């Protein structure tokens, strides 16, 4: 476990990403070891989502290197990236569900892709079982035959989580999972992120603008017996393995623990501190 | 000046890259046959009623318009060859293509554009699917297969339209209309009548998909992409029609 923890799952080395009118990421460097949770804060347009897309290879950096599972993906072509991307689960801001497919087809999509990639004839019979299992994880098993447009925003986000984790990826990227949702639904989504981390031991990178999301990830654990979240014991490793980052105008301006974030006197970083007492 | 040229040159470069990848994918795995047949159904079968209607009335109108001129020379028996040549060489391919551009280039641009602005394209890439392979190549294949077929149907229905005018207004018999109409057609006419829709199909599908995949700016962007796709595809149909016709017509 110690050996695994030292392995870097995602690493940025002096990454700069430019768009025609703007520099989206400026010389960003960080490393996410296996089993760690990263909470990424930042104002709108600070480069958080671009960082996620760069990590996936959807956006190519102008300079620097991105490493996924120890492999430099910077110069890889779209086709060469697919095997690496298959090891990552992504939840897009709006869920990114295919609106012409049913929920079942959406969730089985990554599974089918993996089967196709392995061998066309190896279609295993337990496809539906795995889809149902993933939907049960987000408590939406009854929506199999529905289309995304028939679900609420929070439900679509939950289906997005089911689709992201149906292949059991070692790395999960969440792009603003709670954005635009009411506090109750937002907490449900974040509880699923905690559950995914604790039951599947996934490394998580969570882009958010809500301090509560980071607090929840850093201080709560999923209890499989009660099926609910409960405060994590100090020393359990959860708090220690949750690292906060703050982006500002494309640069990584803060990286540290929750306590270091709380103690920061930087005016910009301080804006992301929030209420600590949450249920 | 250079800044003014930069945007169109970059767009042309992107278009060429997209064309190259879309066409290369035709021979690369995986092949999405379900999507190809679905698109054939949407583009081909879905466009059949409008293509039949347009073809029929075009043929009938050509017959009517030519009647007056031909009566002057007492050559109303030539109505069949005139309708056949006009339809097979020009009106069949161009009208069918313009209809498909209006109906399907817009559909492709709006569908793919909507997917782009709602992050479905990014999700597709993240889930290990090449959006060009999955979305664009099937549309290119489906359009290039169905548009020549639709053109053949439009040509035939147009000839029927011309025949109805010739039969009821000019009192020609079926033999007087169909025999010269059939005899006038040469391989050259058939070749350009089929080459044109094939080339136009490539233009329609690639332009529609190109504007769709580079959509930005939310729903307004989708509307803009749709309009641009139809306008650009239609303009290119007229331009390429001239060049293809020049190849086949020796002056």
């Amino acid at each position: 476990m110690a050996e695994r923890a030292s392995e870097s799952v995602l690493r940025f080395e002096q990454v700069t990403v430019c768009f025609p009118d703007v520099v989206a990421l400026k010389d960003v460097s960080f490393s996410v070891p296996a089993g760690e949770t990263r909470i990424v804060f930042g104002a709108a347009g600070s480069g958080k989502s671009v960082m996620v897309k760069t990590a996936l290879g959807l956006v190519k950096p102008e300079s620097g290197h991105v490493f996924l599972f120890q492999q430099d993906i910077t110069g890889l072509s779209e086709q060469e990236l697919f095997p690496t991307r298959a090891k990552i689960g992504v939840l897009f801001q709006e869920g990114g569900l295919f609106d012409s497919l049913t929920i079942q087809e959406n969730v089985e999509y990554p599974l089918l892709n993996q089967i196709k990639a392995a061998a066309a004839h190896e279609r295993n019979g337990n496809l539906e079982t795995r889809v149902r299992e993933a939907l049960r994880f987000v408590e939406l098993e009854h929506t199999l035959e529905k289309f995304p447009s028939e679900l609420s925003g929070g439900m679509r986000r939950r289906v997005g989580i089911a689709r992201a984790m149906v292949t059991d990826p070692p790395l999960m990227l969440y792009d603003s999972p709670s954005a635009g949702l009411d506090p109750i639904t937002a907490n449900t989504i974040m509880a699923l992120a905690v559950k995914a981390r604790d039951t599947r031991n996934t490394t998580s990178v969570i882009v958010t603008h809500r301090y509560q999301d980071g607090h929840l990830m850093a201080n709560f654990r999923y209890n499989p017996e009660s099926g609910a979240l409960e405060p994590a014991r100090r020393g359990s490793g959860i708090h220690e393995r949750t690292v906060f980052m703050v982006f500002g105008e494309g640069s990584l301006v803060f990286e540290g623990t929750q306590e270091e974030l709380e103690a920061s006197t930087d005016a910009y970083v301080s804006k992301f501190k929030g209420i600590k007492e949450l249920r | 000046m250079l800044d003014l040229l930069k945007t169109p040159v970059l767009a042309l470069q992107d278009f060429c890259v997209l064309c190259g990848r879309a066409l290369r994918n035709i021979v690369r795995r995986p092949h999405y046959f379900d999507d190809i047949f679905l698109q054939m159904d949407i583009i081909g079968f879905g466009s059949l009623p409008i293509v039949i209607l347009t073809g029929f009335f075009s043929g009938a109108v050509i017959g009517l318009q030519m009647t007056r001129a031909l009566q002057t020379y007492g050559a109303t028996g030539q109505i069949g060859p005139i309708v056949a040549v006009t339809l097979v060489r020009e009106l069949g391919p161009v009208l069918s293509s313009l209809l498909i551009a209006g109906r399907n280039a817009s559909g492709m641009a709006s569908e793919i554009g909507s997917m782009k602005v709602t992050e479905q394209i990014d999700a597709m890439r993240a889930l290990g699917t090449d959006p060009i392979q999955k979305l664009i190549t099937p549309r290119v294949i489906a359009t290039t297969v169905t548009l020549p077929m639709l053109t053949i149907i439009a040509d035939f229905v147009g000839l029927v339209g011309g025949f109805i005018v010739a039969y009821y207004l000019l009192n020609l018999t079926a033999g007087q209309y169909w025999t010269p109409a059939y005899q006038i057609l040469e391989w050259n006419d058939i070749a350009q009548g089929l080459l044109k829709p094939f080339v136009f199909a490539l233009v329609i599908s690639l332009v529609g998909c190109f504007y769709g995949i580079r959509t930005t700016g939310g729903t307004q962007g989708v509307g803009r992409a749709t309009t641009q796709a139809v306008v650009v595809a239609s303009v290119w149909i007229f331009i390429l029609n001239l060049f293809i016709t020049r190849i086949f017509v020796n002056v």
Side-chain angles (χ1 to χ4, degrees):
Chain A
M1 185 67 194
E3 188 190 337
R4 196 187 162 204
S6 66
E7 287 174 6
S8 150
V9 170
L10 171 65
R11 192 164 92 241
F12 273 47
E13 265 184 17
Q14 296 178 308
V15 173
T16 298
V17 175
C18 300
F19 292 127
D21 308 328
V22 68
V23 180
L25 289 182
K26 282 182 225 160
D27 205 22
V28 172
S29 298
F30 64 88
S31 175
V32 184
E36 194 172 277
T37 300
R38 287 276 165 148
I39 308 296
V40 185
F41 291 132
S46 59
K48 309 183 299 284
S49 294
V50 175
M51 184 274 286
V52 169
K53 287 183 178 175
T54 311
L56 279 164
L58 299 178
V59 173
K60 298 280 180 198
E62 195 80 4
S63 64
H65 295 272
V66 178
F67 294 85
L68 269 172
F69 305 100
Q70 320 284 334
Q71 184 191 10
D72 187 355
I73 63 156
T74 320
L76 298 185
S77 69
E78 191 80 1
Q79 300 286 337
E80 290 168 332
L81 273 166
F82 289 152
T84 311
R85 283 188 190 147
K87 293 186 224 165
I88 307 171
V90 197
L91 174 66
F92 285 94
Q93 198 164 343
E94 298 295 330
L97 299 180
F98 304 126
D99 48 20
S100 57
L101 303 182
T102 64
I103 298 305
Q104 178 171 7
E105 289 164 338
N106 261 290
V107 178
E108 75 184 8
Y109 193 92
L111 284 173
L112 284 173
N113 255 359
Q114 284 194 1
I115 292 164
K116 267 184 196 167
H121 61 276
E122 278 182 27
R123 294 202 170 208
N124 53 5
N126 65 0
L127 205 64
E128 193 179 333
T129 316
R130 289 182 69 181
V131 170
R132 281 184 180 278
E133 192 183 294
L135 283 169
R136 198 177 304 130
F137 185 86
V138 296
E139 295 167 19
L140 284 175
E141 200 183 349
H142 59 284
T143 62
L144 273 177
E145 301 302 323
K146 289 186 189 292
F147 283 91
S149 57
E150 297 173 71
L151 304 183
S152 69
M155 287 164 98
R156 282 202 292 271
R157 218 72 63 96
R158 280 153 69 190
V159 174
I161 292 179
R163 187 178 68 176
M165 58 182 41
V166 70
T167 54
D168 217 357
L171 173 63
M172 283 287 295
L173 303 177
Y174 301 85
D175 186 3
S176 308
S178 59
L181 297 176
D182 62 87
I184 298 166
T185 314
N187 274 357
T188 309
I189 300 290
M190 291 315 299
L192 286 171
V194 173
K195 187 178 168 186
R197 177 197 64 190
D198 294 347
T199 57
R200 301 180 179 217
N201 198 28
T202 52
T203 308
S204 311
V205 176
I206 301 172
V207 168
T208 181
H209 60 272
R210 292 193 343 146
Y211 178 80
Q212 297 98 307
D213 297 346
H215 180 76
L216 201 73
M217 292 301 293
N219 298 288
F220 285 78
R221 66 179 280 269
Y222 176 74
N223 184 338
E225 284 154 22
S226 66
L229 298 192
E230 61 183 28
R233 281 182 296 104
R234 288 285 155 143
S236 64
I238 287 175
H239 188 75
E240 295 72 18
R241 280 186 277 130
T242 306
V243 177
F244 291 73
M245 301 199 295
V246 179
F247 278 78
E249 294 181 353
S251 300
L252 179 59
V253 293
F254 173 85
E255 187 177 10
T257 62
Q258 189 177 13
E259 285 71 26
E260 286 166 341
L261 178 72
E262 288 291 335
S264 173
T265 53
D266 182 278
Y268 178 73
V269 174
S270 298
K271 286 178 183 167
F272 298 97
K273 298 178 194 174
I275 48 169
K276 288 185 80 175
E277 293 307 319
L278 292 166
R279 281 190 56 82
Chain B
M1 182 63 187
L2 279 174
D3 280 348
L4 278 175
L5 286 172
K6 198 175 160 186
T7 310
V9 169
L10 283 174
L12 180 67
Q13 177 187 298
D14 290 346
F15 182 69
C16 292
V17 171
L18 180 91
C19 292
R21 289 178 63 186
L23 298 176
R24 188 184 60 188
N25 283 344
I26 293 172
V27 292
R28 278 176 72 161
R29 293 182 69 182
H31 300 293
Y32 296 98
F33 292 110
D34 292 355
D35 293 289
I36 293 172
F37 290 122
L38 178 69
Q39 290 303 321
M40 279 183 179
D41 182 48
I42 294 168
I43 299 164
F45 194 72
S47 306
L48 204 52
I50 194 167
V51 165
I52 288 174
L53 265 177
T54 313
F56 178 83
F57 286 107
S58 303
V61 165
I62 295 166
L64 269 177
Q65 289 287 8
M66 286 298 129
T67 303
R68 197 172 143 197
L70 292 173
Q71 275 175 337
T72 311
Y73 301 105
T76 48
Q78 292 303 307
I79 196 85
I82 286 177
V83 173
V85 168
T86 316
L87 273 174
V88 172
R89 281 189 190 171
E90 285 300 329
L91 283 184
V94 173
L95 280 180
S96 304
S97 302
L98 286 174
L99 285 171
I100 299 299
R103 188 178 178 274
N104 296 105
S106 58
M108 291 174 203
S110 61
E111 195 179 343
I112 297 175
S114 301
M115 292 181 78
K116 179 81 188 305
V117 298
T118 54
E119 291 186 315
Q120 291 179 54
I121 301 281
D122 280 341
M124 196 172 270
R125 290 174 66 196
L127 292 171
T129 302
D130 179 0
I132 294 178
Q133 185 106 36
K134 170 85 175 161
L135 299 174
I136 297 179
T137 302
R139 283 167 172 77
V140 172
I141 294 172
T143 316
T144 47
V145 170
T146 53
L147 187 50
M149 290 183 187
L150 287 170
T151 304
I152 292 169
I153 293 168
D155 290 346
F156 176 71
V157 176
L159 277 164
V160 172
F163 170 67
I164 288 171
V165 168
Y167 186 79
Y168 287 105
L169 296 182
L170 304 178
N171 296 318
L172 293 182
T173 62
Q176 283 172 321
Y177 178 83
W178 288 106
T179 307
Y182 172 75
Q183 284 172 341
I184 193 76
L185 292 175
E186 295 173 0
W187 284 114
N188 177 297
D189 303 318
I190 307 292
Q192 67 172 303
L194 290 178
L195 178 69
K196 281 179 181 178
F198 179 78
V199 174
F200 298 160
L202 283 174
V203 171
I204 292 165
S205 53
L206 288 168
V207 166
C209 294
F210 173 69
Y211 279 101
I213 204 104
R214 72 200 305 257
T215 302
T216 52
T219 46
Q220 201 180 12
V222 176
R224 197 169 46 238
T226 307
T227 312
Q228 283 175 326
V230 176
V231 171
V232 172
S234 304
V235 169
W236 274 108
I237 286 170
F238 285 114
I239 294 170
L240 290 170
N241 184 44
L242 175 67
F243 285 106
I244 297 172
T245 305
R246 180 66 191 85
I247 293 168
F248 284 93
V249 177
N250 292 316
V251 181

